[in-house]
Amino acid sequence: MDINLELYKCFYYVATTLSFSEASRQLFISQSAVSQAIKALEKKLGHELFFRSTKKVSLTPEGEVLLQHVKPALEMLSQGEAQLLGEDGLSGQLRIGASDTICRYFLIDYLKRFHQDYPGVRIKVTNSTSIGCVELLDNRQVDLIVCNFPNSKLSAHKKTQVVKEFQDVFIANPDYFPIEGKTLEIKKLMEFPLLMLSSKSTTSEYLHQFFAAHRQNLIPEVELNSNDLLVDLARIGLGVACVPDYMLSVLHGQSHSLSRITLKQLLPTRQLVLVHHDTLPLPQAAEKFMDYFHI
């Protein structure tokens, strides 16, 4: 069957972004042209490839099968072009998902280096919680994610690589809370107003489990979606904030009013992990980005 390669390209971008508008943006053509291309491909193949509704687009079972063949084929073509152009001619797009905190306090230096090494690659970073990032990966809206681990949403068909170990710490303004030089029991910590990430975060899951293991019912005073806001509220004395320790070195100098609380019962170490599907081939840009984390 003779089908124009451009039709498969349109299918690939809609299937990987699950958005006709995003596919049109990445292909630099109109949304109407993308829609017409998909309809033409469906007519030629005799199958509907997408479920369409006013709120979302998803692949039909036939679309899933087709993507398994189209994705590696187009990516092999892209890799062949890149090899002919040479390493410095790497093009395409790096699609990565991560939380605001991970982006700002961990990933930013890697993204800067990658952009300097491969200026021809477009970098698209999608922000979400660590739980939300797994959903982005499952929906194929990104090729890689960097998220917290443990993570209740991570399951089979995911390949993970630990890229950093960290520990959560409690910080407060000693002008409001007399904590300097003291080692606190968890029960004593519970007497302070606690500032934490929202209940839909991996951090909240992890902290509730930790406190429950020590027979404490964790009830935060404030729950937010931003660690930076937690730091700001701790600085003005609204409570004791829980944040990852890798934030502190970056904040040093602007957070001189905050002190780290020493706990008698240490919080277990967690990890940042780089995650991708183990059954789907990665675009070359994503593979090159992963190279920065190989030890």
Side-chain angles (χ1 to χ4, degrees), residues 16 27 29 33-34 36 52 61 80 87 98 112 117 134 140 157 176 180-181 183 219-220 223 234 260-261 273 289:
T16 54
L27 288 166
I29 61 177
V34 173
Q36 290 174 11
R52 302 166 176 83
E87 293 263 313
K112 177 182 177 181
D117 291 345
V134 178
R140 298 175 184 172
H157 308 304
Y176 297 89
E180 287 191 297
T183 299
I219 304 176
E223 290 182 304
R260 180 171 173 171
I261 295 175
V273 291
F289 187 71

Side-chain angles (χ1 to χ4, degrees), residues 5-150:
L5 179 61
E6 294 303 313
L7 298 184
Y8 284 119
K9 286 181 65 176
C10 286
F11 166 77
Y12 170 81
Y13 279 94
V14 176
T16 54
T17 64
L18 295 178
S19 168
F20 280 79
S21 59
E22 179 62 20
S24 70
R25 190 188 69 80
Q26 294 186 21
L27 288 166
F28 300 99
I29 61 177
S30 69
Q31 186 171 334
S32 174
V34 173
S35 181
Q36 290 174 11
I38 297 302
K39 287 180 180 178
L41 182 60
E42 288 177 327
K43 184 177 180 180
K44 286 178 177 291
L45 294 175
H47 293 282
E48 287 192 2
L49 302 173
F50 296 97
F51 294 118
R52 302 166 176 83
S53 71
T54 55
K55 292 185 177 180
K56 68 176 184 177
V57 175
S58 59
L59 285 161
T60 64
E62 293 79 8
E64 292 275 4
V65 171
L66 184 61
L67 181 62
Q68 292 177 15
H69 297 279
V70 170
K71 184 178 174 72
L74 290 180
E75 288 170 357
M76 285 179 66
L77 287 174
S78 178
Q79 291 172 14
E81 290 176 352
Q83 288 179 11
L84 291 177
L85 290 169
E87 293 263 313
D88 294 336
L90 182 66
S91 60
Q93 186 177 45
L94 172 64
R95 303 184 307 153
I96 188 166
S99 70
D100 290 342
T101 300
I102 293 173
C103 280
R104 181 177 180 185
Y105 296 99
F106 175 72
L107 267 184
I108 192 73
D109 289 337
Y110 291 98
L111 293 172
K112 177 182 177 181
R113 181 182 165 194
F114 183 84
H115 179 60
Q116 291 172 340
D117 291 345
Y118 305 106
V121 175
R122 289 176 294 158
I123 299 175
K124 180 182 178 181
V125 180
T126 303
N127 291 131
S128 186
T129 64
S130 285
I131 288 175
C133 282
V134 178
E135 294 175 355
L136 290 173
L137 189 63
D138 286 339
N139 293 331
R140 298 175 184 172
Q141 293 173 269
V142 295
D143 300 306
L144 298 170
I145 63 172
V146 178
C147 66
N148 292 330
F149 184 85

